[in-house]
PDB file of all heavy atoms in Angstrom:
ATOM      1  N   ALA A 124       3.775  10.530 -12.727  1.00 98.00           N
ATOM      2  CA  ALA A 124       4.189   9.316 -12.026  1.00 98.00           C
ATOM      3  C   ALA A 124       5.508   8.765 -12.552  1.00 98.00           C
ATOM      4  O   ALA A 124       6.232   8.080 -11.829  1.00 98.00           O
ATOM      5  CB  ALA A 124       3.103   8.241 -12.154  1.00 98.00           C
ATOM      6  N   TRP A 125       5.840   9.073 -13.790  1.00 97.00           N
ATOM      7  CA  TRP A 125       7.050   8.506 -14.391  1.00 97.00           C
ATOM      8  C   TRP A 125       8.326   9.082 -13.787  1.00 97.00           C
ATOM      9  O   TRP A 125       9.405   8.507 -13.947  1.00 97.00           O
ATOM     10  CB  TRP A 125       7.043   8.712 -15.904  1.00 97.00           C
ATOM     11  CG  TRP A 125       5.951   7.935 -16.572  1.00 97.00           C
ATOM     12  CD1 TRP A 125       4.757   8.418 -17.030  1.00 97.00           C
ATOM     13  CD2 TRP A 125       5.920   6.524 -16.841  1.00 97.00           C
ATOM     14  NE1 TRP A 125       3.993   7.404 -17.557  1.00 97.00           N
ATOM     15  CE2 TRP A 125       4.688   6.231 -17.459  1.00 97.00           C
ATOM     16  CE3 TRP A 125       6.826   5.481 -16.604  1.00 97.00           C
ATOM     17  CZ2 TRP A 125       4.332   4.937 -17.850  1.00 97.00           C
ATOM     18  CZ3 TRP A 125       6.469   4.195 -16.992  1.00 97.00           C
ATOM     19  CH2 TRP A 125       5.245   3.940 -17.610  1.00 97.00           C
ATOM     20  N   ILE A 126       8.229  10.197 -13.094  1.00 97.00           N
ATOM     21  CA  ILE A 126       9.407  10.768 -12.433  1.00 97.00           C
ATOM     22  C   ILE A 126       9.244  10.787 -10.914  1.00 97.00           C
ATOM     23  O   ILE A 126      10.009  11.427 -10.206  1.00 97.00           O
ATOM     24  CB  ILE A 126       9.708  12.195 -12.944  1.00 97.00           C
ATOM     25  CG1 ILE A 126       8.510  13.132 -12.725  1.00 97.00           C
ATOM     26  CG2 ILE A 126      10.104  12.169 -14.411  1.00 97.00           C
ATOM     27  CD1 ILE A 126       8.820  14.588 -13.011  1.00 97.00           C
ATOM     28  N   ASP A 127       8.253  10.054 -10.420  1.00 98.00           N
ATOM     29  CA  ASP A 127       8.028   9.977  -8.983  1.00 98.00           C
ATOM     30  C   ASP A 127       8.787   8.775  -8.421  1.00 98.00           C
ATOM     31  O   ASP A 127       8.722   7.675  -8.990  1.00 98.00           O
ATOM     32  CB  ASP A 127       6.531   9.827  -8.699  1.00 98.00           C
ATOM     33  CG  ASP A 127       6.237   9.789  -7.215  1.00 98.00           C
ATOM     34  OD1 ASP A 127       6.287   8.679  -6.639  1.00 98.00           O
ATOM     35  OD2 ASP A 127       6.004  10.859  -6.630  1.00 98.00           O
ATOM     36  N   PRO A 128       9.508   8.930  -7.307  1.00 98.00           N
ATOM     37  CA  PRO A 128      10.338   7.825  -6.791  1.00 98.00           C
ATOM     38  C   PRO A 128       9.556   6.590  -6.377  1.00 98.00           C
ATOM     39  O   PRO A 128      10.092   5.481  -6.455  1.00 98.00           O
ATOM     40  CB  PRO A 128      11.070   8.449  -5.600  1.00 98.00           C
ATOM     41  CG  PRO A 128      10.277   9.654  -5.236  1.00 98.00           C
ATOM     42  CD  PRO A 128       9.681  10.153  -6.509  1.00 98.00           C
ATOM     43  N   LEU A 129       8.313   6.732  -5.938  1.00 98.00           N
ATOM     44  CA  LEU A 129       7.516   5.572  -5.577  1.00 98.00           C
ATOM     45  C   LEU A 129       6.787   4.959  -6.766  1.00 98.00           C
ATOM     46  O   LEU A 129       6.627   3.743  -6.855  1.00 98.00           O
ATOM     47  CB  LEU A 129       6.492   5.923  -4.489  1.00 98.00           C
ATOM     48  CG  LEU A 129       7.023   6.335  -3.120  1.00 98.00           C
ATOM     49  CD1 LEU A 129       5.883   6.370  -2.105  1.00 98.00           C
ATOM     50  CD2 LEU A 129       8.128   5.422  -2.637  1.00 98.00           C
ATOM     51  N   PHE A 130       6.329   5.789  -7.692  1.00 98.00           N
ATOM     52  CA  PHE A 130       5.488   5.324  -8.786  1.00 98.00           C
ATOM     53  C   PHE A 130       6.239   5.027 -10.081  1.00 98.00           C
ATOM     54  O   PHE A 130       5.712   4.321 -10.946  1.00 98.00           O
ATOM     55  CB  PHE A 130       4.392   6.357  -9.073  1.00 98.00           C
ATOM     56  CG  PHE A 130       3.205   6.259  -8.153  1.00 98.00           C
ATOM     57  CD1 PHE A 130       3.279   6.736  -6.853  1.00 98.00           C
ATOM     58  CD2 PHE A 130       2.014   5.706  -8.580  1.00 98.00           C
ATOM     59  CE1 PHE A 130       2.195   6.652  -6.002  1.00 98.00           C
ATOM     60  CE2 PHE A 130       0.925   5.615  -7.732  1.00 98.00           C
ATOM     61  CZ  PHE A 130       1.010   6.082  -6.437  1.00 98.00           C
ATOM     62  N   ALA A 131       7.449   5.547 -10.243  1.00 98.00           N
ATOM     63  CA  ALA A 131       8.138   5.439 -11.533  1.00 98.00           C
ATOM     64  C   ALA A 131       8.304   4.002 -11.998  1.00 98.00           C
ATOM     65  O   ALA A 131       8.170   3.704 -13.195  1.00 98.00           O
ATOM     66  CB  ALA A 131       9.497   6.133 -11.456  1.00 98.00           C
ATOM     67  N   ASP A 132       8.592   3.080 -11.085  1.00 98.00           N
ATOM     68  CA  ASP A 132       8.857   1.698 -11.467  1.00 98.00           C
ATOM     69  C   ASP A 132       7.593   0.849 -11.583  1.00 98.00           C
ATOM     70  O   ASP A 132       7.683  -0.334 -11.942  1.00 98.00           O
ATOM     71  CB  ASP A 132       9.814   1.042 -10.461  1.00 98.00           C
ATOM     72  CG  ASP A 132      11.239   1.571 -10.590  1.00 98.00           C
ATOM     73  OD1 ASP A 132      11.550   2.169 -11.637  1.00 98.00           O
ATOM     74  OD2 ASP A 132      12.027   1.389  -9.652  1.00 98.00           O
ATOM     75  N   LEU A 133       6.450   1.405 -11.300  1.00 98.00           N
ATOM     76  CA  LEU A 133       5.210   0.658 -11.493  1.00 98.00           C
ATOM     77  C   LEU A 133       4.910   0.508 -12.977  1.00 98.00           C
ATOM     78  O   LEU A 133       5.304   1.356 -13.791  1.00 98.00           O
ATOM     79  CB  LEU A 133       4.039   1.389 -10.825  1.00 98.00           C
ATOM     80  CG  LEU A 133       4.046   1.499  -9.304  1.00 98.00           C
ATOM     81  CD1 LEU A 133       2.855   2.328  -8.849  1.00 98.00           C
ATOM     82  CD2 LEU A 133       4.027   0.136  -8.646  1.00 98.00           C
ATOM     83  N   PRO A 134       4.208  -0.552 -13.375  1.00 97.00           N
ATOM     84  CA  PRO A 134       3.805  -0.654 -14.781  1.00 97.00           C
ATOM     85  C   PRO A 134       2.812   0.445 -15.133  1.00 97.00           C
ATOM     86  O   PRO A 134       2.224   1.081 -14.250  1.00 97.00           O
ATOM     87  CB  PRO A 134       3.161  -2.038 -14.855  1.00 97.00           C
ATOM     88  CG  PRO A 134       2.723  -2.337 -13.457  1.00 97.00           C
ATOM     89  CD  PRO A 134       3.739  -1.688 -12.564  1.00 97.00           C
TER      90      PRO A 134
END
Side-chain angles (χ1 to χ4, degrees):
W125 294 102
I126 58 171
D127 182 273
L129 295 191
F130 278 76
D132 288 343
L133 294 176

